[in-house]
Amino acid sequence: MVHTTRTSLRRHPRTTALAAAAVLVLVPTAAACGDGNGNGDAGRSPTATATSPTGDQPADQTAARQQIEKNWAAFFNPKTPVDEKVKLLENGDRMRPVLEAFSANPQAAQTSASVDDVAFTSATEADVTYDLLVGGTPALSNTKGTAVQQQDTWKVSVKTLCALVKLSPDATAVPGC
């Protein structure tokens, strides 16, 4: 199947270009985000809450994994409204301008994500391996990201969003990432 995907991407080079364009649209408005000193974690709320489990893993790993997969699919779904995406992104209110620009871009309307694996690194954080899809075809396979539990919800981390933004050659101009 991997061979088929690679062959398909070679036959459709615009697929990769569209994925890059969808990611690059984040750069112009991402400069408006952040705290101005380059500290991408400024204002980050603690990911552990009073109701969060303690230890190395969430109390219910199956439910946590399902919520991560569901929330990632919704966050990267071009049909999900910005107000909902804000709720699915760590510190989403602060990153709203980036989400609005991304949602307004026509190339982003073809971009989605599929979670391949979730590995919990603590009770409130997980490493996520996912594919960034354009038109249903993997454009960036086995991409690494993180999910964090914030306000009792598993969310896409700002670090993950910034990693996508940094794929742009202009990424040095993006404060907060």
Side-chain angles (χ1 to χ4, degrees):
M1 181 164 162
V2 172
H3 176 67
T4 304
T5 302
R6 288 183 183 159
T7 302
S8 175
L9 287 175
R10 283 188 206 127
R11 278 186 272 181
H12 303 288
R14 289 183 1 131
T15 300
T16 302
L18 287 172
V23 171
L24 296 180
V25 74
L26 296 171
V27 174
T29 57
C33 299
D35 62 359
N37 67 8
N39 184 355
D41 289 334
R44 179 177 174 169
S45 348
T47 54
T49 63
T51 59
S52 295
T54 58
D56 293 347
Q57 305 289 315
D60 186 344
Q61 290 183 43
T62 302
R65 182 180 316 274
Q66 288 172 346
Q67 187 181 67
I68 289 169
E69 290 173 358
K70 177 184 166 209
N71 290 351
W72 277 59
F75 178 80
F76 286 102
N77 184 333
K79 294 180 181 174
T80 300
V82 172
D83 287 341
E84 184 64 25
K85 288 183 182 200
V86 165
K87 296 175 187 174
L88 300 173
L89 178 65
E90 175 189 28
N91 302 325
D93 285 330
R94 182 174 61 103
M95 300 300 285
R96 181 180 287 275
V98 175
L99 296 175
E100 288 172 344
F102 186 71
S103 294
N105 184 279
Q107 287 86 8
Q110 299 177 31
T111 305
S112 62
S114 172
V115 173
D116 297 324
D117 189 39
V118 176
F120 294 100
T121 56
S122 75
T124 58
E125 293 191 17
D127 290 334
V128 179
T129 304
Y130 67 102
D131 294 337
L132 192 64
L133 310 170
V134 176
T137 302
L140 296 174
S141 296
N142 294 315
T143 306
K144 305 296 182 192
T146 55
V148 297
Q149 188 184 44
Q150 185 180 52
Q151 301 163 340
D152 295 325
T153 301
W154 283 97
K155 301 179 179 189
V156 174
S157 70
V158 169
K159 182 169 66 171
T160 298
L161 183 62
C162 289
L164 291 172
V165 170
K166 286 182 180 180
L167 293 175
S168 166
D170 299 329
T172 55
V174 183
C177 280

